[in-house]
C-alpha cells in the first residue's frame, strides 16, 4: 500500500469539489485553489484535462489508489465484456476496502484501508489484510471476534 502523498483538503481544493464529503472541507469556504496562485483565473480545460481531472477524482475517491493499481483495474475492465466504464466502477466497488466502507464498519475510506491492514476483517472465515482484495459474489465479510470490542466498531 502506498501512502497518500498530499493533504486531503489540498486535493479537494485543487479538484474544486469536496471529494470525500468531509464537513470541514475548505471547498465549502474557499472556492479557489490552494497555494500562492490559487486565486488567479482558471483557464478552460482541454479535453485531455477534463479526462485527467475525472480520472484523478476517481482515484482520489477510492482512497487515493496508486496509478499502477488503477491501471491494472482499467485493463481488467477493458478485458471484460460490456461497457468498460461500468466494468471499471464495478471492479472498484468490489474491492475489500470499498465494501468495508459501504457496510459502515468504519467512517471513512482511509479508515477502511487501515482497519483491513491491521487484520480486523475476515472473508469467508479467513483473515485478509489486503485492502485491494477482489471480492466475489457470495463472499462473507465479518469483523474478527477480538476486534468487535474496538471503539471504532461499536
Amino acid at each position: 500500500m502506498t501512502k497518500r502523498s498530499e493533504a486531503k483538503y489540498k486535493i479537494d481544493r485543487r479538484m474544486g469539489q469536496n471529494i470525500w464529503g468531509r464537513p470541514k472541507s475548505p471547498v465549502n469556504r474557499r472556492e479557489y485553489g490552494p497555494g500562492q496562485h490559487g486565486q488567479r483565473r482558471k483557464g478552460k480545460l482541454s479535453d485531455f484535462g477534463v479526462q485527467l481531472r475525472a480520472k484523478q477524482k476517481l482515484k482520489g475517491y477510492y482512497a487515493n489508489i496508486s496509478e499502477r493499481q488503477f491501471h491494472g483495474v482499467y485493463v481488467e475492465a477493458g478485458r471484460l465484456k460490456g461497457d468498460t466504464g461500468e466494468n471499471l466502477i464495478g471492479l472498484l466497488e468490489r474491492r475489500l476496502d470499498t465494501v468495508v466502507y459501504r457496510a459502515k464498519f468504519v467512517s471513512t475510506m482511509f479508515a477502511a484501508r487501515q482497519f483491513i491492514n491491521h487484520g480486523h476483517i475476515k472473508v469467508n472465515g479467513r483473515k485478509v489484510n489486503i485492502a485491494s482484495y477482489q471480492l466475489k459474489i457470495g463472499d462473507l465479510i465479518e469483523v474478527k471476534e477480538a476486534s468487535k470490542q474496538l471503539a471504532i466498531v461499536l
Side-chain angles (χ1 to χ4, degrees):
M1 178 182 112
T2 59
K3 284 184 77 172
R4 175 183 27 74
S5 60
E6 298 180 65
K8 292 177 200 157
Y9 289 145
K10 190 188 285 187
I11 294 170
D12 274 358
R13 285 181 63 204
R14 186 181 313 124
M15 295 297 159
Q17 263 185 317
N18 190 352
I19 296 173
W20 295 285
R22 298 160 74 92
K24 292 170 106 180
S25 179
V27 172
N28 303 338
R29 284 176 276 147
R30 292 187 288 261
E31 291 295 319
Y32 50 87
Q36 181 179 8
H37 307 291
Q39 293 189 40
R40 295 195 180 153
R41 261 188 257 137
K42 288 181 185 146
K44 191 164 170 22
L45 284 174
S46 64
D47 290 342
F48 173 77
V50 170
Q51 290 174 347
L52 180 64
R53 182 70 49 94
K55 183 194 74 156
Q56 287 172 331
K57 276 184 199 168
L58 199 58
K59 276 175 50 181
Y61 182 73
Y62 288 99
N64 216 17
I65 62 175
S66 68
E67 183 65 37
R68 181 177 219 129
Q69 272 188 327
F70 191 80
H71 180 72
V73 173
Y74 175 75
V75 168
E76 178 69 18
R79 198 179 60 75
L80 296 173
K81 286 182 184 157
D83 182 30
T84 305
E86 288 179 17
N87 291 339
L88 178 68
I89 299 298
L91 287 171
L92 288 170
E93 288 291 329
R94 281 182 20 209
R95 288 168 51 103
L96 183 58
D97 56 353
T98 307
V99 173
V100 167
Y101 170 65
R102 297 268 186 255
K104 301 284 187 210
F105 288 144
V106 290
S107 57
T108 66
M109 193 71 96
F110 300 99
R113 289 182 70 94
Q114 185 177 18
F115 197 67
I116 293 163
N117 200 28
H118 289 187
H120 297 301
I121 296 291
K122 282 183 169 184
V123 177
N124 297 330
R126 304 176 101 178
K127 184 178 91 168
V128 176
N129 62 358
I130 304 204
S132 62
Y133 181 83
Q134 283 288 323
L135 295 166
K136 296 166 197 67
I137 295 170
D139 281 350
L140 180 68
I141 301 138
E142 58 189 352
V143 179
K144 242 173 39 174
E145 282 300 320
S147 305
K148 287 185 179 174
Q149 283 76 36
L150 290 172
I152 195 167
V153 176
L154 297 173

